[in-house]
Amino acid sequence: MSKRLRSTSPVSDLQQLDPPTEPAPPPKRIRLLHTNHFNRLSDELLLKIFTLLGPLELTHCQQACRRFFSIAGDSQVWKSAFYDRFVRPRASRLPGARTSSTTPRPAYNSRTSKWLNDEGFAKSEYTDWKRLYKLRYNWNRGRCGVSEIGLSTQSSGPPISVKMRRGIVFSIDEVGYLQAWRVEDGQHVTSHLGSRDHSVGLGSPTVLALDENEADQLSDKLNIIVGYDTGGFTVHQLDLASFDFSCIYTYPNEGATHSIIAMAFSGLHLITMNDSRSRGFTVYHLGSGSDENPSNPDWSHLGTPTVVSYLKSHTAWPLVSLSIRRSTHGVTVCIVYAFSTFSMGWSLGIQELCLSSNGRQVDKSRIASAIPSGMESNSSEIPSTLSAPPYTSPVGAFWEAMQQAPLSQPTCLSYAHPYLLTAHKDNTLTLYLVKSTASSLDITQGQRLWGHTSAVSGAHVGSRGRAVSISARGSELRVWELEGGVTGNRRGRESVKIYPSQSPASLASPQSHSTDTSAATHQGSDWWEMDAQDKWLGFDEEKVIVHRQKETGSQVLMVYDFT
């Protein structure tokens, strides 16, 4: 092997170990330091700035950084936005809210502002104001998601009565099945009334009612009352924790000969209507002692109920709305009915029974109708001097003529004080305002509401003057804001059509739940079937429930979710 030749250049060993030198990199660009002034502001100042922004700007700020996401999503910011968007317009619609054009608008103040019926939200410490803002916004825009709940096949017939409370749907059928669905998670419970010892021999159920007592709204239990064709009734209780039914009270009413077709229930007071030709109305007090607490009674020790009053009516049409209202003056039992007139078509009447402080006697009874006071007189006054009639615009004359047209026979009647709403087959609704004071009772003249393109089959009035109506065919739902009446520049814009953003097929799993295997498969266009018939309507603050019979004959509950 040949030896390696030595280099003849005098290079030291240290130089041989060093790597070859490379040219030095160019100097880095000198960056000017910009001061972020927002970082120098405190969270309190940023919170004050964000309160001046709108909802769209707030959502954009939340996407900037983590600090903005936290501050722009603060409950105080969205609480102010909620007040400006939803509370202030409602306050301006109330009578006497703004006496003149120079009166300043009500400013937001978290401590002294008047929140109308939203006062409970304003005082609560755990209210998600951003979620509440989104919920009200969706209601005003008619945006919602839709899903289906298939009715159980255990019963041989469709439900004859359906109610909704706190996101739970209750139904009964003529076979005797009492069912409940929790819309949020799909939990379902069924109880056969005939299998309970307390309800044996009462016959077939005919009607269902829920406890309207305000104390029941925050309880962990819900009371349900069921009426039967023998005139008796039973009270059942649903435990929200275990989601199970229990029968807590039974009254067979052995002397009755007619079935119950309508009822209202609140605390220890109950009013029923039977199907006799004389339309008998019975007011019960379920307490056994004078010291019984109506908010939390001991149902196991209640005896035979006391009949407070019994009324008969030979003119009331079967379309009747019953309600029990509690106030500072005591308990008021209301009966709203429809009747026919010769010149005005159909009209409405209301009778109030004001009970005593112990709820066992009727202190006074008063009645009012929607017929104007001058309709009974046929005399007319001839003016002494002739004058030109005042000018009326064609649009104003049209609305006035339509308002004075005779009303057709109502198809649905709903009353939540002070709003009274009726639906008609001529695609219209009629709104009445009931004025009830300690000394008087009055019903204002009805206001016609237009918006539907087919006959209105159902309408329901809820809290804060909000109502939902539905057409018999076509699944046309509308949301009405009735607070303060419908006059002036709100004419024609008092309702919003509901546009579901999703079909049942997109919600079939796992949000859409069904106990009927035949109804578990959804078609993407089922929710707007033209041949489907909608029979019942109810809603709460977040959802609308519609009982629908499809063209195939299957029974489903359509859930319109605005969250």
Side-chain angles (χ1 to χ4, degrees), residues 144-166:
C144 63
V146 60
S147 60
E148 290 183 3
I149 298 178
L151 299 181
S152 176
T153 57
Q154 294 179 356
S155 59
S156 59
I160 57 178
S161 183
V162 185
K163 298 293 181 181
M164 181 179 180
R165 175 70 51 80
R166 296 167 64 177

Side-chain angles (χ1 to χ4, degrees), residues 10-202:
V11 180
S12 62
D13 296 338
L14 183 61
Q15 291 179 345
Q16 292 181 1
L17 297 176
D18 292 339
T21 59
E22 296 179 357
K28 294 183 178 180
R29 181 170 57 89
I30 300 177
R31 297 182 180 180
L32 299 178
L33 298 178
H34 295 280
T35 305
N36 189 345
H37 297 286
F38 278 99
N39 291 337
R40 302 175 59 182
L41 298 179
S42 63
D43 292 348
E44 290 76 11
L45 290 178
L46 288 178
L47 186 65
K48 180 63 178 179
I49 295 174
F50 287 156
T51 55
L52 304 177
L53 302 180
L56 183 60
E57 291 80 6
L58 289 175
T59 54
H60 289 169
C61 290
Q62 285 191 285
Q63 301 175 5
C65 61
R66 293 183 179 180
R67 187 186 181 199
F68 278 23
F69 178 82
S70 177
I71 300 177
D74 188 84
S75 179
Q76 192 71 13
V77 176
W78 288 96
K79 185 177 181 180
S80 177
F82 181 88
Y83 180 86
D84 292 336
R85 179 66 180 269
F86 302 108
V87 178
R88 180 180 290 168
R90 292 176 56 209
S92 62
R93 291 197 300 264
L94 295 179
R98 298 184 65 181
T99 57
S100 63
S101 59
T102 59
T103 304
R105 295 192 306 169
Y108 167 75
N109 189 313
S110 60
R111 292 177 297 178
T112 61
S113 60
K114 184 178 180 180
W115 286 80
L116 306 179
N117 288 347
D118 294 317
E119 185 178 1
F121 293 119
K123 293 183 178 181
S124 177
E125 299 179 357
Y126 306 101
T127 302
D128 189 350
W129 288 101
K130 183 179 180 180
R131 180 180 181 274
L132 191 61
Y133 185 97
K134 180 182 178 181
L135 180 63
R136 294 285 176 87
Y137 181 84
N138 290 339
W139 274 104
N140 290 351
R141 295 291 181 176
R143 299 176 180 176
C144 63
V146 60
S147 60
E148 290 183 3
I149 298 178
L151 299 181
S152 176
T153 57
Q154 294 179 356
S155 59
S156 59
I160 57 178
S161 183
V162 185
K163 298 293 181 181
M164 181 179 180
R165 175 70 51 80
R166 296 167 64 177
I168 302 176
V169 182
F170 300 89
S171 72
I172 59 169
D173 52 44
E174 57 186 5
V175 179
Y177 283 98
L178 174 63
Q179 304 184 65
W181 292 269
R182 181 176 284 160
V183 179
E184 182 178 0
D185 55 6
Q187 194 170 0
H188 172 253
V189 61
T190 302
S191 175
H192 190 265
L193 302 180
S195 63
R196 307 285 178 143
D197 296 337
H198 299 282
S199 56
V200 172
L202 291 178

Side-chain angles (χ1 to χ4, degrees), residues 492-504:
R493 297 193 304 270
E494 62 275 6
S495 68
V496 176
K497 186 176 180 179
I498 296 179
Y499 294 94
S501 58
Q502 298 179 7
S503 64

